[in-house]
């Protein structure tokens, strides 16, 4: 399988999405998963087709209004830098996508 494309999303595409990306990178390294990581603002994310979107729980209502490709898995985090939460929520997604 080719590398997973994981997109981190926040309001401006800078601060919290990048913080989540750095924490997730540590989790992926621990799990031995290689992925292409990028971070963007929420309006840009709609036009992209990543394998996985990782975002904060407070963006759930906005994502529910968008027409996101059903093949894209969305992971909502309560604490965007919590490595235990990221690992708990991303592991089943990675298994489903055949990455682990």
């Amino acid at each position: 399988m080719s590398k997973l494309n994981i997109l981190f999303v926040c309001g401006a595409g800078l601060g919290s999405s990048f913080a989540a990306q750095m924490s997730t990178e540590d989790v992926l390294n621990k799990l031995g998963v290689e992925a292409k990581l990028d971070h963007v603002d929420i309006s840009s994310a709609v036009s992209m087709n990543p394998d996985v979107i990782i975002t904060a729980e407070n963006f759930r209502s906005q994502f529910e209004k968008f027409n996101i490709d059903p093949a894209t898995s969305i992971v909502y985090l309560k604490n965007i830098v919590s490595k235990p939460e990221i690992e708990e929520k991303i592991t089943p997604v990675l298994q489903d996508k055949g990455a682990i």
Side-chain angles (χ1 to χ4, degrees):
M1 172 176 188
S2 61
K3 272 190 191 179
L4 277 182
N5 184 7
I6 302 176
L7 194 61
F8 299 84
V9 180
C10 69
L14 298 170
S16 59
S17 60
F18 186 58
Q21 178 179 331
M22 290 190 306
S23 292
T24 302
E25 194 167 14
D26 290 342
V27 171
L28 293 174
N29 286 337
K30 175 184 172 187
L31 298 173
V33 175
E34 284 191 47
K36 178 184 179 299
L37 310 179
D38 204 0
H39 55 278
V40 297
D41 64 279
I42 195 162
S43 58
S44 298
V46 179
S47 64
M48 304 172 95
N49 283 323
D51 298 303
V52 181
I53 291 174
I54 297 179
T55 191
E57 181 67 44
N58 59 312
F59 290 114
R60 183 184 294 267
S61 62
Q62 288 171 276
F63 272 102
E64 289 172 349
K65 295 174 188 170
F66 296 136
N67 186 16
I68 304 289
D69 184 338
T72 299
S73 300
I74 303 178
V75 175
Y76 296 101
L77 301 172
K78 290 182 180 140
N79 179 343
I80 59 163
V81 294
S82 167
K83 293 175 189 175
E85 181 184 5
I86 292 167
E87 185 172 354
E88 174 189 329
K89 291 183 175 177
I90 201 170
T91 298
V93 173
L94 296 172
Q95 290 169 335
D96 185 53
K97 302 279 184 192
I100 55 174

